Amino acid sequence: MPRFRLGSNLKTLAFNIGLKDNNDQIITQRRNIVAGKRTVLIDSNPGRNAQTFGIARELGTDLDLIHEPSVGVVGNKGDSQCYMGVQTKVETIHQRLNDRIGQEEGQLRFRLVQPEYTIATSDGMRNGTREMRYSLIGREVTNDALCEHLSASGLEGTIAVVACDKPPVGTMAALLEHDRPGIIMSDGPIRPGADSQTGEAIDIITGFQIAAHPDEEHKRRIACEACPGIGSCGGIFTYNTMQTFIGVVGLQPLEMVSPPSDDPRRLQEFPDKLIDHLAHMIAHDITPRKIVTSQSLRNAMIVSMAIGGSTNVMLHAPELARAAGYEDFARDVMSPEEFNHLSEHVVPVLLDARPFGRYSMVDIDEKGGVQVIVRELMDAGLINGDTLTCTGETLAEQIQRLDPPAPDGTVIYSVAKPFKPTGGLRVLGGNLSPEHSAVLKLAGVEGGLEDNVFTGRARVFDSETELLDTLANDPDSIENNDMIIVRYEGPAGAPGMPEMLDSTSRITTLCREKNIVVGLMTDARFSGGSVGLVIGHVGPEAALGGPIALVEDGDEIIVDLNSNELNCSQLFDGATWESREERWKETVNDHGGQHPSVNEANTRLLHRMRHLAVSAAQGAGMHPNREFMVIDCRDPEPSNFKIKNRHRGG
């Protein structure tokens, strides 16, 4: 794995140079040299200055500040309710910045740039369709777009308002790569809907789980009532998993994670706090890479276990670690072995939350917010409070200032008396997952494990479309103890590694109705709202000849959580493996070097993903020649902190 060292770790160097313009007037120009790169300079050239003066004039800012460090606000946009609150918050923060910029005492001497937005697709609207392939790619597009904006604009300070789950990760990765002061605020979760007939709290997952319901009017009513208002998915799905992750890792103030999108604090209180924090970061040269360290990433992984978070965190965490300069997540942050040990023996689940429980992030906010969870874990000895955060405080100092209440015991549980005794996620190896990339959301398993083992029969589908057709038209063909295998839907195969909320929801409903147990494993991924015995990110993926491509109908599939392995019994036989692999290679050769089951890459973006996607173990992002690209590699920070659950012996 190559180590890309693009630049050096120079400290910020600011100096003033007197330059003459065409009128022989001396102007002061500030230059910033950061990590071997120099920000774009606005100098005495009247052509370059023309628009700079023009923008300042139109924004109403001081023309004499155009050579000061640039600051700006960015946001995520898309075609769902997740993004509908972003623009208002971006514009509010922008206006507050405008009001506070100037040359008077107490004002901020910055150049203000216009707000910029990235675009993304809607996961909820696209699940179960071929367009869902663009969802994870949206993380890469956001990263690329913001890299262009941050680098070309030379932003010295950035405030980002983020929504949904992939764009926030792309945003954070871009901030880490730019490595100038930057801070993030969640747009906030949506409030749950209410079933008008039963009064039951419902959400988008409710809608997916009744997709096979025979009553069309019932389905329409739930669809109309499930998502009132604005904001991102409200359960502990991927959005709230990653917002909690960003808060714990230190790039978002903890009190800004859980309030709903329409909470007045997001427009009245938080904008000035964000500006204060950003000004402090700029003044003290606190950059994202000083905050996002191997220790803060470990904290965030542990909290993800404790909240029963989405399996997608196992894709996003390596991508964020890469952007922070760590080239091997398993070595530099947390190995699969340590992850499983912590999840199995040390870290419990503290939330009774959707999709495996009853409550949403709105309920968590009413009980004190994610800061309650963080303090509870810190007091129990499970996370390191010495890590730096965007507020300029350590994580422990931030918690002390916020002074959250104790767990209420209904929504948020204590470590001493948890909601579930073991962590919510498990990483699997075995002969079907030699990369140790396969991940199971154990918190969402509803049955089928006897003595921590599931044994089933392989039912193979070479696309999600095939599976959805069967579930819609021949559901009775799915039998108890089937292990459904969906392949050729990985990062390169799909391409784009779609999530399978439609499929998993239908299977969950089928299992509940027929009182059977059916598993699903795939080289694709899942929504954070998926429940059941579902295993994603199996790698190497089928399109690249991984073992999942060699499984046949009727094979015995064993999920063993005692050894944390995912195995196909038939593939233990070397002759069987070789015979099947040879047939697979012949098929590939007969079709021009590409298996016929992979999906068409009929846009330039899909084509890039097909040929550039790295493995799920590395985050499934797009990298040149599939070589994992890490800028300014660094080693993990030494620490004397030892993870230990004070409420558990051993």
Side-chain angles (χ1 to χ4, degrees), residues 441-478:
K441 188 170 182 174
L442 188 58
V445 174
E446 297 184 343
L449 294 172
E450 296 185 11
D451 298 324
N452 287 321
V453 177
F454 169 84
T455 302
R457 298 175 304 275
R459 181 76 185 275
V460 180
F461 297 87
D462 282 346
S463 71
E464 186 187 19
T465 301
E466 287 185 20
L467 172 60
L468 288 172
D469 287 344
T470 298
L471 290 170
N473 301 312
D474 190 19
D476 290 338
S477 67
I478 306 297

mmCIF file of all heavy atoms in Angstrom, residues 441-478:
data_model
loop_
_atom_site.group_PDB
_atom_site.id
_atom_site.type_symbol
_atom_site.label_atom_id
_atom_site.label_comp_id
_atom_site.label_asym_id
_atom_site.label_seq_id
_atom_site.Cartn_x
_atom_site.Cartn_y
_atom_site.Cartn_z
ATOM 1 N N LYS A 441 -25.011 -5.803 12.398
ATOM 2 C CA LYS A 441 -25.570 -4.944 13.430
ATOM 3 C C LYS A 441 -26.263 -5.838 14.445
ATOM 4 O O LYS A 441 -27.458 -6.115 14.349
ATOM 5 C CB LYS A 441 -26.548 -3.924 12.838
ATOM 6 C CG LYS A 441 -27.022 -2.874 13.845
ATOM 7 C CD LYS A 441 -27.781 -1.765 13.170
ATOM 8 C CE LYS A 441 -28.217 -0.692 14.136
ATOM 9 N NZ LYS A 441 -28.828 0.469 13.457
ATOM 10 N N LEU A 442 -25.495 -6.291 15.406
ATOM 11 C CA LEU A 442 -25.990 -7.252 16.385
ATOM 12 C C LEU A 442 -27.149 -6.686 17.187
ATOM 13 O O LEU A 442 -28.063 -7.425 17.580
ATOM 14 C CB LEU A 442 -24.848 -7.674 17.305
ATOM 15 C CG LEU A 442 -25.123 -8.812 18.284
ATOM 16 C CD1 LEU A 442 -25.559 -10.074 17.554
ATOM 17 C CD2 LEU A 442 -23.874 -9.098 19.126
ATOM 18 N N ALA A 443 -27.138 -5.375 17.410
ATOM 19 C CA ALA A 443 -28.215 -4.757 18.180
ATOM 20 C C ALA A 443 -29.563 -4.924 17.500
ATOM 21 O O ALA A 443 -30.608 -4.862 18.148
ATOM 22 C CB ALA A 443 -27.928 -3.265 18.392
ATOM 23 N N GLY A 444 -29.558 -5.147 16.177
ATOM 24 C CA GLY A 444 -30.808 -5.271 15.447
ATOM 25 C C GLY A 444 -31.236 -6.687 15.139
ATOM 26 O O GLY A 444 -32.277 -6.894 14.498
ATOM 27 N N VAL A 445 -30.478 -7.696 15.584
ATOM 28 C CA VAL A 445 -30.827 -9.090 15.316
ATOM 29 C C VAL A 445 -32.046 -9.483 16.145
ATOM 30 O O VAL A 445 -32.076 -9.287 17.364
ATOM 31 C CB VAL A 445 -29.640 -10.019 15.618
ATOM 32 C CG1 VAL A 445 -30.065 -11.480 15.472
ATOM 33 C CG2 VAL A 445 -28.482 -9.721 14.671
ATOM 34 N N GLU A 446 -33.059 -10.037 15.483
ATOM 35 C CA GLU A 446 -34.309 -10.364 16.160
ATOM 36 C C GLU A 446 -34.483 -11.853 16.427
ATOM 37 O O GLU A 446 -35.480 -12.279 16.987
ATOM 38 C CB GLU A 446 -35.485 -9.836 15.335
ATOM 39 C CG GLU A 446 -35.495 -8.321 15.183
ATOM 40 C CD GLU A 446 -36.711 -7.797 14.449
ATOM 41 O OE1 GLU A 446 -37.390 -8.605 13.774
ATOM 42 O OE2 GLU A 446 -37.008 -6.600 14.557
ATOM 43 N N GLY A 447 -33.535 -12.670 16.021
ATOM 44 C CA GLY A 447 -33.633 -14.097 16.279
ATOM 45 C C GLY A 447 -32.764 -14.882 15.323
ATOM 46 O O GLY A 447 -32.186 -14.340 14.384
ATOM 47 N N GLY A 448 -32.671 -16.188 15.573
ATOM 48 C CA GLY A 448 -31.929 -17.067 14.688
ATOM 49 C C GLY A 448 -30.573 -17.492 15.194
ATOM 50 O O GLY A 448 -29.926 -18.355 14.586
ATOM 51 N N LEU A 449 -30.116 -16.903 16.286
ATOM 52 C CA LEU A 449 -28.817 -17.264 16.837
ATOM 53 C C LEU A 449 -29.006 -18.224 18.008
ATOM 54 O O LEU A 449 -29.594 -17.861 19.023
ATOM 55 C CB LEU A 449 -28.062 -16.011 17.298
ATOM 56 C CG LEU A 449 -27.642 -15.025 16.194
ATOM 57 C CD1 LEU A 449 -27.097 -13.749 16.811
ATOM 58 C CD2 LEU A 449 -26.586 -15.647 15.282
ATOM 59 N N GLU A 450 -28.520 -19.443 17.847
ATOM 60 C CA GLU A 450 -28.520 -20.409 18.929
ATOM 61 C C GLU A 450 -27.090 -20.610 19.388
ATOM 62 O O GLU A 450 -26.235 -21.030 18.601
ATOM 63 C CB GLU A 450 -29.136 -21.737 18.477
ATOM 64 C CG GLU A 450 -30.600 -21.645 18.099
ATOM 65 C CD GLU A 450 -31.210 -22.984 17.779
ATOM 66 O OE1 GLU A 450 -30.533 -24.014 18.050
ATOM 67 O OE2 GLU A 450 -32.351 -23.030 17.274
ATOM 68 N N ASP A 451 -26.858 -20.275 20.673
ATOM 69 C CA ASP A 451 -25.490 -20.295 21.195
ATOM 70 C C ASP A 451 -24.572 -19.443 20.324
ATOM 71 O O ASP A 451 -23.426 -19.807 20.036
ATOM 72 C CB ASP A 451 -24.957 -21.734 21.305
ATOM 73 C CG ASP A 451 -25.758 -22.593 22.259
ATOM 74 O OD1 ASP A 451 -26.211 -22.059 23.289
ATOM 75 O OD2 ASP A 451 -25.962 -23.781 21.958
ATOM 76 N N ASN A 452 -25.120 -18.300 19.837
ATOM 77 C CA ASN A 452 -24.375 -17.335 19.024
ATOM 78 C C ASN A 452 -24.010 -17.870 17.639
ATOM 79 O O ASN A 452 -23.048 -17.390 17.025
ATOM 80 C CB ASN A 452 -23.116 -16.861 19.743
ATOM 81 C CG ASN A 452 -23.421 -15.927 20.890
ATOM 82 O OD1 ASN A 452 -24.302 -15.080 20.803
ATOM 83 N ND2 ASN A 452 -22.681 -16.092 21.975
ATOM 84 N N VAL A 453 -24.745 -18.862 17.150
ATOM 85 C CA VAL A 453 -24.463 -19.442 15.833
ATOM 86 C C VAL A 453 -25.745 -19.518 15.007
ATOM 87 O O VAL A 453 -26.799 -19.915 15.516
ATOM 88 C CB VAL A 453 -23.834 -20.840 15.955
ATOM 89 C CG1 VAL A 453 -23.611 -21.449 14.560
ATOM 90 C CG2 VAL A 453 -22.512 -20.785 16.716
ATOM 91 N N PHE A 454 -25.646 -19.120 13.743
ATOM 92 C CA PHE A 454 -26.719 -19.329 12.775
ATOM 93 C C PHE A 454 -26.202 -20.216 11.661
ATOM 94 O O PHE A 454 -25.127 -19.968 11.100
ATOM 95 C CB PHE A 454 -27.205 -17.993 12.188
ATOM 96 C CG PHE A 454 -28.133 -18.163 11.002
ATOM 97 C CD1 PHE A 454 -29.481 -18.373 11.197
ATOM 98 C CD2 PHE A 454 -27.659 -18.106 9.693
ATOM 99 C CE1 PHE A 454 -30.353 -18.532 10.114
ATOM 100 C CE2 PHE A 454 -28.516 -18.254 8.609
ATOM 101 C CZ PHE A 454 -29.871 -18.474 8.819
ATOM 102 N N THR A 455 -26.960 -21.250 11.318
ATOM 103 C CA THR A 455 -26.619 -22.129 10.209
ATOM 104 C C THR A 455 -27.775 -22.120 9.215
ATOM 105 O O THR A 455 -28.916 -22.389 9.582
ATOM 106 C CB THR A 455 -26.359 -23.562 10.684
ATOM 107 O OG1 THR A 455 -25.297 -23.547 11.656
ATOM 108 C CG2 THR A 455 -25.945 -24.436 9.512
ATOM 109 N N GLY A 456 -27.463 -21.783 7.975
ATOM 110 C CA GLY A 456 -28.520 -21.678 6.982
ATOM 111 C C GLY A 456 -28.105 -22.183 5.617
ATOM 112 O O GLY A 456 -26.945 -22.545 5.377
ATOM 113 N N ARG A 457 -29.092 -22.223 4.717
ATOM 114 C CA ARG A 457 -28.880 -22.638 3.332
ATOM 115 C C ARG A 457 -28.751 -21.421 2.436
ATOM 116 O O ARG A 457 -29.569 -20.492 2.524
ATOM 117 C CB ARG A 457 -30.050 -23.491 2.838
ATOM 118 C CG ARG A 457 -30.273 -24.790 3.583
ATOM 119 C CD ARG A 457 -31.554 -25.457 3.049
ATOM 120 N NE ARG A 457 -32.697 -24.540 3.171
ATOM 121 C CZ ARG A 457 -33.434 -24.398 4.276
ATOM 122 N NH1 ARG A 457 -33.150 -25.107 5.359
ATOM 123 N NH2 ARG A 457 -34.453 -23.558 4.301
ATOM 124 N N ALA A 458 -27.770 -21.444 1.555
ATOM 125 C CA ALA A 458 -27.561 -20.329 0.645
ATOM 126 C C ALA A 458 -28.675 -20.248 -0.389
ATOM 127 O O ALA A 458 -29.054 -21.253 -1.007
ATOM 128 C CB ALA A 458 -26.216 -20.452 -0.056
ATOM 129 N N ARG A 459 -29.215 -19.063 -0.535
ATOM 130 C CA ARG A 459 -30.159 -18.745 -1.612
ATOM 131 C C ARG A 459 -29.554 -17.557 -2.355
ATOM 132 O O ARG A 459 -29.579 -16.425 -1.857
ATOM 133 C CB ARG A 459 -31.534 -18.403 -1.034
ATOM 134 C CG ARG A 459 -32.583 -18.086 -2.066
ATOM 135 C CD ARG A 459 -33.124 -19.317 -2.762
ATOM 136 N NE ARG A 459 -34.052 -18.936 -3.821
ATOM 137 C CZ ARG A 459 -35.341 -18.684 -3.627
ATOM 138 N NH1 ARG A 459 -35.877 -18.824 -2.393
ATOM 139 N NH2 ARG A 459 -36.126 -18.371 -4.643
ATOM 140 N N VAL A 460 -29.028 -17.804 -3.548
ATOM 141 C CA VAL A 460 -28.167 -16.848 -4.216
ATOM 142 C C VAL A 460 -28.937 -15.996 -5.218
ATOM 143 O O VAL A 460 -29.693 -16.516 -6.052
ATOM 144 C CB VAL A 460 -27.002 -17.569 -4.930
ATOM 145 C CG1 VAL A 460 -26.110 -16.557 -5.633
ATOM 146 C CG2 VAL A 460 -26.186 -18.393 -3.924
ATOM 147 N N PHE A 461 -28.705 -14.686 -5.153
ATOM 148 C CA PHE A 461 -29.232 -13.732 -6.118
ATOM 149 C C PHE A 461 -28.073 -12.874 -6.620
ATOM 150 O O PHE A 461 -27.291 -12.348 -5.818
ATOM 151 C CB PHE A 461 -30.296 -12.834 -5.488
ATOM 152 C CG PHE A 461 -31.512 -13.574 -5.007
ATOM 153 C CD1 PHE A 461 -31.544 -14.123 -3.727
ATOM 154 C CD2 PHE A 461 -32.611 -13.732 -5.822
ATOM 155 C CE1 PHE A 461 -32.662 -14.807 -3.284
ATOM 156 C CE2 PHE A 461 -33.740 -14.423 -5.383
ATOM 157 C CZ PHE A 461 -33.757 -14.962 -4.112
ATOM 158 N N ASP A 462 -27.986 -12.708 -7.924
ATOM 159 C CA ASP A 462 -26.877 -11.947 -8.507
ATOM 160 C C ASP A 462 -27.189 -10.469 -8.674
ATOM 161 O O ASP A 462 -26.456 -9.753 -9.346
ATOM 162 C CB ASP A 462 -26.457 -12.543 -9.853
ATOM 163 C CG ASP A 462 -25.607 -13.798 -9.683
ATOM 164 O OD1 ASP A 462 -25.122 -14.056 -8.563
ATOM 165 O OD2 ASP A 462 -25.433 -14.532 -10.678
ATOM 166 N N SER A 463 -28.267 -10.010 -8.051
ATOM 167 C CA SER A 463 -28.581 -8.578 -8.009
ATOM 168 C C SER A 463 -29.672 -8.362 -6.983
ATOM 169 O O SER A 463 -30.436 -9.289 -6.666
ATOM 170 C CB SER A 463 -29.034 -8.047 -9.374
ATOM 171 O OG SER A 463 -30.335 -8.537 -9.698
ATOM 172 N N GLU A 464 -29.788 -7.147 -6.473
ATOM 173 C CA GLU A 464 -30.894 -6.832 -5.575
ATOM 174 C C GLU A 464 -32.217 -6.862 -6.329
ATOM 175 O O GLU A 464 -33.249 -7.223 -5.768
ATOM 176 C CB GLU A 464 -30.702 -5.470 -4.914
ATOM 177 C CG GLU A 464 -31.762 -5.194 -3.857
ATOM 178 C CD GLU A 464 -31.724 -3.788 -3.292
ATOM 179 O OE1 GLU A 464 -31.136 -2.907 -3.951
ATOM 180 O OE2 GLU A 464 -32.284 -3.550 -2.206
ATOM 181 N N THR A 465 -32.212 -6.492 -7.590
ATOM 182 C CA THR A 465 -33.436 -6.514 -8.387
ATOM 183 C C THR A 465 -34.046 -7.907 -8.413
ATOM 184 O O THR A 465 -35.265 -8.076 -8.278
ATOM 185 C CB THR A 465 -33.153 -6.023 -9.821
ATOM 186 O OG1 THR A 465 -32.624 -4.690 -9.770
ATOM 187 C CG2 THR A 465 -34.417 -6.029 -10.660
ATOM 188 N N GLU A 466 -33.197 -8.950 -8.608
ATOM 189 C CA GLU A 466 -33.683 -10.333 -8.584
ATOM 190 C C GLU A 466 -34.356 -10.650 -7.257
ATOM 191 O O GLU A 466 -35.413 -11.281 -7.213
ATOM 192 C CB GLU A 466 -32.525 -11.301 -8.819
ATOM 193 C CG GLU A 466 -32.000 -11.350 -10.238
ATOM 194 C CD GLU A 466 -30.932 -12.419 -10.388
ATOM 195 O OE1 GLU A 466 -30.872 -13.335 -9.543
ATOM 196 O OE2 GLU A 466 -30.154 -12.353 -11.351
ATOM 197 N N LEU A 467 -33.737 -10.239 -6.167
ATOM 198 C CA LEU A 467 -34.293 -10.515 -4.849
ATOM 199 C C LEU A 467 -35.626 -9.799 -4.658
ATOM 200 O O LEU A 467 -36.602 -10.394 -4.179
ATOM 201 C CB LEU A 467 -33.310 -10.102 -3.762
ATOM 202 C CG LEU A 467 -33.847 -10.163 -2.325
ATOM 203 C CD1 LEU A 467 -34.281 -11.584 -1.952
ATOM 204 C CD2 LEU A 467 -32.798 -9.648 -1.339
ATOM 205 N N LEU A 468 -35.693 -8.510 -5.012
ATOM 206 C CA LEU A 468 -36.931 -7.760 -4.842
ATOM 207 C C LEU A 468 -38.063 -8.355 -5.675
ATOM 208 O O LEU A 468 -39.211 -8.393 -5.225
ATOM 209 C CB LEU A 468 -36.704 -6.286 -5.203
ATOM 210 C CG LEU A 468 -35.880 -5.472 -4.202
ATOM 211 C CD1 LEU A 468 -35.558 -4.096 -4.771
ATOM 212 C CD2 LEU A 468 -36.617 -5.330 -2.873
ATOM 213 N N ASP A 469 -37.751 -8.842 -6.883
ATOM 214 C CA ASP A 469 -38.761 -9.498 -7.710
ATOM 215 C C ASP A 469 -39.308 -10.742 -7.004
ATOM 216 O O ASP A 469 -40.526 -10.994 -6.990
ATOM 217 C CB ASP A 469 -38.181 -9.886 -9.067
ATOM 218 C CG ASP A 469 -37.968 -8.694 -9.986
ATOM 219 O OD1 ASP A 469 -38.546 -7.614 -9.713
ATOM 220 O OD2 ASP A 469 -37.220 -8.835 -10.981
ATOM 221 N N THR A 470 -38.422 -11.522 -6.403
ATOM 222 C CA THR A 470 -38.848 -12.724 -5.687
ATOM 223 C C THR A 470 -39.680 -12.376 -4.461
ATOM 224 O O THR A 470 -40.710 -12.985 -4.194
ATOM 225 C CB THR A 470 -37.620 -13.556 -5.284
ATOM 226 O OG1 THR A 470 -36.919 -13.974 -6.457
ATOM 227 C CG2 THR A 470 -38.038 -14.783 -4.479
ATOM 228 N N LEU A 471 -39.253 -11.377 -3.708
ATOM 229 C CA LEU A 471 -39.986 -10.983 -2.507
ATOM 230 C C LEU A 471 -41.368 -10.434 -2.851
ATOM 231 O O LEU A 471 -42.320 -10.604 -2.082
ATOM 232 C CB LEU A 471 -39.189 -9.937 -1.719
ATOM 233 C CG LEU A 471 -37.913 -10.447 -1.037
ATOM 234 C CD1 LEU A 471 -37.097 -9.278 -0.507
ATOM 235 C CD2 LEU A 471 -38.246 -11.411 0.093
ATOM 236 N N ALA A 472 -41.481 -9.784 -4.010
ATOM 237 C CA ALA A 472 -42.765 -9.214 -4.414
ATOM 238 C C ALA A 472 -43.696 -10.245 -5.021
ATOM 239 O O ALA A 472 -44.911 -10.225 -4.778
ATOM 240 C CB ALA A 472 -42.541 -8.070 -5.399
ATOM 241 N N ASN A 473 -43.138 -11.182 -5.790
ATOM 242 C CA ASN A 473 -43.964 -12.088 -6.584
ATOM 243 C C ASN A 473 -43.984 -13.528 -6.086
ATOM 244 O O ASN A 473 -44.915 -14.276 -6.419
ATOM 245 C CB ASN A 473 -43.494 -12.061 -8.042
ATOM 246 C CG ASN A 473 -43.582 -10.675 -8.652
ATOM 247 O OD1 ASN A 473 -44.602 -10.001 -8.522
ATOM 248 N ND2 ASN A 473 -42.515 -10.235 -9.308
ATOM 249 N N ASP A 474 -43.004 -13.939 -5.328
ATOM 250 C CA ASP A 474 -42.950 -15.327 -4.862
ATOM 251 C C ASP A 474 -42.345 -15.382 -3.450
ATOM 252 O O ASP A 474 -41.374 -16.113 -3.214
ATOM 253 C CB ASP A 474 -42.134 -16.173 -5.827
ATOM 254 C CG ASP A 474 -42.228 -17.661 -5.545
ATOM 255 O OD1 ASP A 474 -43.184 -18.080 -4.845
ATOM 256 O OD2 ASP A 474 -41.340 -18.409 -6.009
ATOM 257 N N PRO A 475 -42.914 -14.655 -2.492
ATOM 258 C CA PRO A 475 -42.309 -14.622 -1.154
ATOM 259 C C PRO A 475 -42.298 -15.971 -0.453
ATOM 260 O O PRO A 475 -41.438 -16.227 0.396
ATOM 261 C CB PRO A 475 -43.184 -13.611 -0.404
ATOM 262 C CG PRO A 475 -44.490 -13.606 -1.140
ATOM 263 C CD PRO A 475 -44.140 -13.844 -2.575
ATOM 264 N N ASP A 476 -43.243 -16.846 -0.794
ATOM 265 C CA ASP A 476 -43.302 -18.158 -0.136
ATOM 266 C C ASP A 476 -42.122 -19.050 -0.499
ATOM 267 O O ASP A 476 -41.891 -20.074 0.159
ATOM 268 C CB ASP A 476 -44.609 -18.865 -0.468
ATOM 269 C CG ASP A 476 -45.813 -18.205 0.196
ATOM 270 O OD1 ASP A 476 -45.617 -17.501 1.211
ATOM 271 O OD2 ASP A 476 -46.941 -18.377 -0.319
ATOM 272 N N SER A 477 -41.383 -18.683 -1.541
ATOM 273 C CA SER A 477 -40.200 -19.468 -1.897
ATOM 274 C C SER A 477 -39.057 -19.237 -0.915
ATOM 275 O O SER A 477 -38.096 -20.009 -0.891
ATOM 276 C CB SER A 477 -39.740 -19.143 -3.317
ATOM 277 O OG SER A 477 -39.244 -17.815 -3.413
ATOM 278 N N ILE A 478 -39.151 -18.173 -0.119
ATOM 279 C CA ILE A 478 -38.160 -17.913 0.923
ATOM 280 C C ILE A 478 -38.547 -18.718 2.153
ATOM 281 O O ILE A 478 -39.650 -18.575 2.691
ATOM 282 C CB ILE A 478 -38.085 -16.412 1.265
ATOM 283 C CG1 ILE A 478 -37.830 -15.575 0.013
ATOM 284 C CG2 ILE A 478 -37.017 -16.162 2.316
ATOM 285 C CD1 ILE A 478 -36.523 -15.845 -0.665
#
